Amino acid sequence: MHTESHLFSPYEQQTLVEFSNLDRHSRYLYTRIFMRKQAWLRTSSLNYGEQMVIDQSCKYLTTQPNTEPFLHSETNISSCEDALSLLLLPELKTLAKKKGIKQVSKPKEFLCAALLKTIKQRTVTSFFQKNKGDSVQQRQDEFIKSVLQVTGPVVRLNPLVSELFERLHLVFFRSATHLGDSNSIKSAVLSEIGQIRFPSYTVMRSPDLFASRDAVVQYKQLVEVGYEMEVLLTSLVKETEQHMKGWEMFVEHQSEWHMLLETLRRPKSPAQKVGGIEQMSRVYWRRHFTAGWALARIAERGARFAANTKQFARERDVLESLLSQDAFRLGKRGEWHERLILLHTTHLRPKGTSVEARAQTAEALERAKRACVRALDDVHVNRISLHAISRQLRTIETKLGVSPDERVEHPRMCVEWQMPLERVVFGMRVRNIRRGPSVWDGSDGIPCSVEQLALWRYRELGYTGIHSENTLVTTLFVLLFWDIVFCPLPGVLDTEYQSQPLDMGSESFYFSRRAMIEQRLAEISDGHFVQSIGDVYEKQHGVECVGVSWDLPCDQLQTIASVSLKNGICCVAKCSVY
């Protein structure tokens, strides 16, 4: 990390040095608390070793002479709400009885509200006292003191220091996701103590991924906004207030988004232009760690909030703004086109049967038709979206009464897919199961799932079957392309704790390795793949790798690969790559 020290201020660097100088127990304790939720914790509940060692470590972490303390102690509790959050329900009931609250059988929320109400009310005795020192603040202090007598010492992460460690986590692990969704620290710890193994590869860290400290801070703030919006999107559609809150969060950043779009529209100087598809893909991947990428995600979620709150005209405007740029989130362009076409054909189409309404409907359908052609011309739209858009176009042409001879023909149209071969399996369903997945009578009358039933029927015919969802395909792909997946390219293998390259699953994965991938596909077409599967399986067995299931035996994988047609295996590999 010394090559990226410019991303932290001198004071922040001093704080990190102070942390590294702590004893092992204190560092361990802080790491465990950091991986937990940001809340007050009783020191008696920190079951990370002997209590005496924990108490001593808490003392070190809460008293730092030269920097901010790493943890806050109970002396930093100033809110009665925070104090109440520390109490368990039986403790709340006991405290409520002492305060004269009679309805102690009520839920925790009711008891907390009742206790907070007692703090604001003066007692009859204090009202007649000449000393008017019975202020609300004093009652709050007394209340917090009474709670702490029950809980004992408590600690919480110092927000100033934890924010620094969150940025350190982002810079070191190159985690484009919110800390709440990341298991990077846990995986690194498990690797250090030998519980898991990561693949062997050459680490090629990019010290210039972030331009400055301000760039990291801005990026982190926008990622957190996007995370909060994602949490709000999990609310039910009928919870309009939550979705309006999410829309307002987008509106707060809408001006930043429009300023970014204006910057992208400016002509580029010769020095800014990038040549070669592989170099372009690497430049594109680095954009994942810029404020622009985070803003694009905010705009995308803003469109979803507009849809959920039935602001369809505003949703259209946001989608048009997203489609007006080709710098960020190219893999989502197909979905944006599909939604925009649906808006024109359904939500923005006038209702009614009058002559004027029919004319406006025809205009809306014409706009939708042009949107379909525009989507087909977009080289970044994937095959799945092309299929959906092609079918939308045919439906629109039917509604417009376009004759077959005048219909749009486009080289990227994909209206029909080849239907898969269907096989029917018969079984007896267990009727008395009301919830959960269906249950069937299996072999010897033992209840089983529908997948197990199908495998049982195949075994009766002399076959051996595997129920693996997509695991079989992904496992074969990674084993066939192992050295290419973990090829040391700049900026994708930045730490030794990675189960996949950072650009895995992104649009730039293929283009960064196109020459190597095409050569491997040619080798697979020639039939040179069965032995390589066994070599990689034997050498790498048990390591943490995304997409690989080591539960699948090597001989079965080789058999499946060998009995398949060469073109079939090549097709599977191509689908996995693209």
Side-chain angles (χ1 to χ4, degrees), residues 98-328:
K98 291 181 179 179
K99 297 294 183 180
I101 298 173
K102 298 180 180 179
Q103 297 174 309
V104 294
S105 60
K106 293 288 185 176
K108 187 175 183 178
E109 293 76 13
F110 176 86
L111 294 177
C112 289
L115 287 168
L116 291 173
K117 188 176 180 180
T118 61
I119 299 172
K120 300 176 182 179
Q121 297 174 344
R122 295 183 63 185
T123 62
V124 176
T125 305
S126 64
F127 182 80
F128 289 101
Q129 288 178 347
K130 293 183 179 180
N131 183 9
K132 302 297 182 182
D134 186 30
S135 65
V136 174
Q137 184 60 51
Q138 287 177 323
R139 291 196 294 273
Q140 288 180 348
D141 294 341
E142 288 296 326
F143 182 81
I144 293 173
K145 184 178 179 180
S146 63
V147 171
L148 292 176
Q149 288 176 350
V150 177
T151 63
V154 296
V155 292
R156 186 187 68 174
L157 293 173
N158 183 344
L160 296 177
V161 179
S162 64
E163 194 278 333
L164 167 62
F165 278 94
E166 288 172 6
R167 270 191 287 123
L168 180 66
H169 173 273
L170 187 155
V171 171
F172 179 75
F173 288 106
R174 307 297 199 228
S175 177
T177 60
H178 188 267
L179 183 61
D181 291 336
S182 176
N183 292 320
S184 303
I185 297 179
K186 180 181 178 181
S187 299
V189 171
L190 291 175
S191 175
E192 289 296 324
I193 62 177
Q195 294 295 313
I196 60 175
R197 293 188 299 118
F198 286 99
S200 300
Y201 50 80
T202 302
V203 176
M204 290 189 65
R205 194 165 182 85
S206 302
D208 59 342
L209 182 63
F210 295 102
S212 63
R213 178 184 181 278
D214 292 339
V216 178
V217 171
Q218 183 187 18
Y219 174 71
K220 178 177 176 295
Q221 290 173 346
L222 293 174
V223 167
E224 290 175 347
V225 172
Y227 178 78
E228 292 177 18
M229 295 175 73
E230 188 68 27
V231 172
L232 291 173
L233 278 172
T234 60
S235 305
L236 298 176
V237 177
K238 63 182 180 181
E239 298 178 14
T240 310
E241 184 178 345
Q242 298 290 347
H243 292 278
M244 282 303 301
K245 181 180 178 182
W247 169 254
E248 290 166 1
M249 292 176 70
F250 163 70
V251 172
E252 291 176 2
H253 296 83
Q254 193 170 15
S255 59
E256 294 180 66
W257 171 240
H258 288 160
M259 288 174 61
L260 175 65
L261 293 177
E262 288 296 327
T263 303
L264 293 174
R265 293 190 188 105
R266 295 172 188 168
K268 295 181 180 179
S269 64
Q272 292 176 314
K273 294 182 179 180
V274 181
I277 189 67
E278 293 186 3
Q279 187 179 359
M280 288 175 62
S281 62
R282 292 169 191 166
V283 171
Y284 174 73
W285 165 246
R286 292 169 66 93
R287 292 180 190 150
H288 283 67
F289 301 94
T290 61
W293 189 274
L295 281 170
R297 294 186 69 178
I298 291 173
E300 182 183 10
R301 287 169 180 144
R304 293 175 63 184
F305 283 120
N308 292 342
T309 54
K310 301 187 183 305
Q311 303 180 81
F312 299 119
R314 290 179 174 176
E315 182 191 4
R316 175 201 59 202
D317 295 339
V318 178
L319 289 173
E320 289 285 4
S321 70
L322 285 164
L323 289 168
S324 68
Q325 55 83 33
D326 59 357
F328 307 107

Side-chain angles (χ1 to χ4, degrees), residues 307-360:
N308 292 342
T309 54
K310 301 187 183 305
Q311 303 180 81
F312 299 119
R314 290 179 174 176
E315 182 191 4
R316 175 201 59 202
D317 295 339
V318 178
L319 289 173
E320 289 285 4
S321 70
L322 285 164
L323 289 168
S324 68
Q325 55 83 33
D326 59 357
F328 307 107
R329 299 185 67 74
L330 298 181
K332 294 290 185 178
R333 292 181 69 84
E335 297 178 19
W336 300 340
H337 280 295
E338 289 182 56
R339 180 62 187 177
L340 185 60
I341 295 167
L342 181 65
L343 287 174
H344 286 308
T345 57
T346 306
H347 301 297
L348 295 177
R349 195 178 76 177
K351 304 295 187 293
T353 58
S354 63
V355 175
E356 183 180 359
R358 287 199 294 269
Q360 292 176 347

Side-chain angles (χ1 to χ4, degrees), residues 363-524:
E363 292 178 5
L365 291 174
E366 287 291 346
R367 287 194 295 270
K369 180 181 175 182
R370 291 193 294 271
C372 288
V373 176
R374 173 189 173 190
L376 293 173
D377 290 334
D378 192 336
V379 296
H380 300 295
V381 176
N382 59 43
R383 289 185 61 84
I384 296 175
S385 293
L386 284 175
H387 178 255
I389 292 166
S390 299
R391 294 176 66 88
Q392 284 178 309
L393 177 57
R394 288 293 182 248
T395 302
I396 293 167
E397 290 175 330
T398 301
K399 291 180 179 179
L400 287 171
V402 179
S403 63
D405 296 337
E406 296 177 345
R407 288 186 172 185
V408 173
E409 295 296 335
H410 195 283
R412 300 190 73 208
M413 284 196 70
C414 181
V415 180
E416 298 296 338
W417 284 353
Q418 183 177 355
M419 296 300 295
L421 179 65
E422 292 186 2
R423 298 184 184 273
V424 180
V425 175
F426 295 94
M428 184 69 69
R429 186 170 182 176
V430 178
R431 297 288 182 180
N432 59 352
I433 303 297
R434 295 184 178 181
R435 294 184 179 181
S438 60
V439 178
W440 302 76
D441 278 332
S443 59
D444 300 329
I446 300 175
C448 64
S449 66
V450 65
E451 295 86 3
Q452 292 170 331
L453 175 68
L455 292 175
W456 172 43
R457 294 300 187 195
Y458 274 113
R459 281 195 297 270
E460 289 182 334
L461 299 174
Y463 295 98
T464 299
I466 298 174
H467 173 225
S468 61
E469 300 292 349
N470 296 323
T471 306
L472 179 60
V473 176
T474 57
T475 299
L476 282 173
F477 162 69
V478 176
L479 294 179
L480 288 167
F481 291 84
W482 187 280
D483 56 328
I484 298 175
V485 170
F486 291 100
C487 177
L489 298 177
V492 297
L493 294 170
D494 279 19
T495 73
E496 58 267 37
Y497 309 113
Q498 293 180 215
S499 59
Q500 60 178 337
L502 293 174
D503 63 345
M504 188 78 159
S506 73
E507 304 87 346
S508 62
F509 177 84
Y510 166 72
F511 293 106
S512 297
R513 304 163 177 81
R514 186 170 65 170
M516 294 183 288
I517 289 173
E518 295 297 337
Q519 181 181 353
R520 182 60 48 83
L521 290 174
E523 295 172 359
I524 293 172

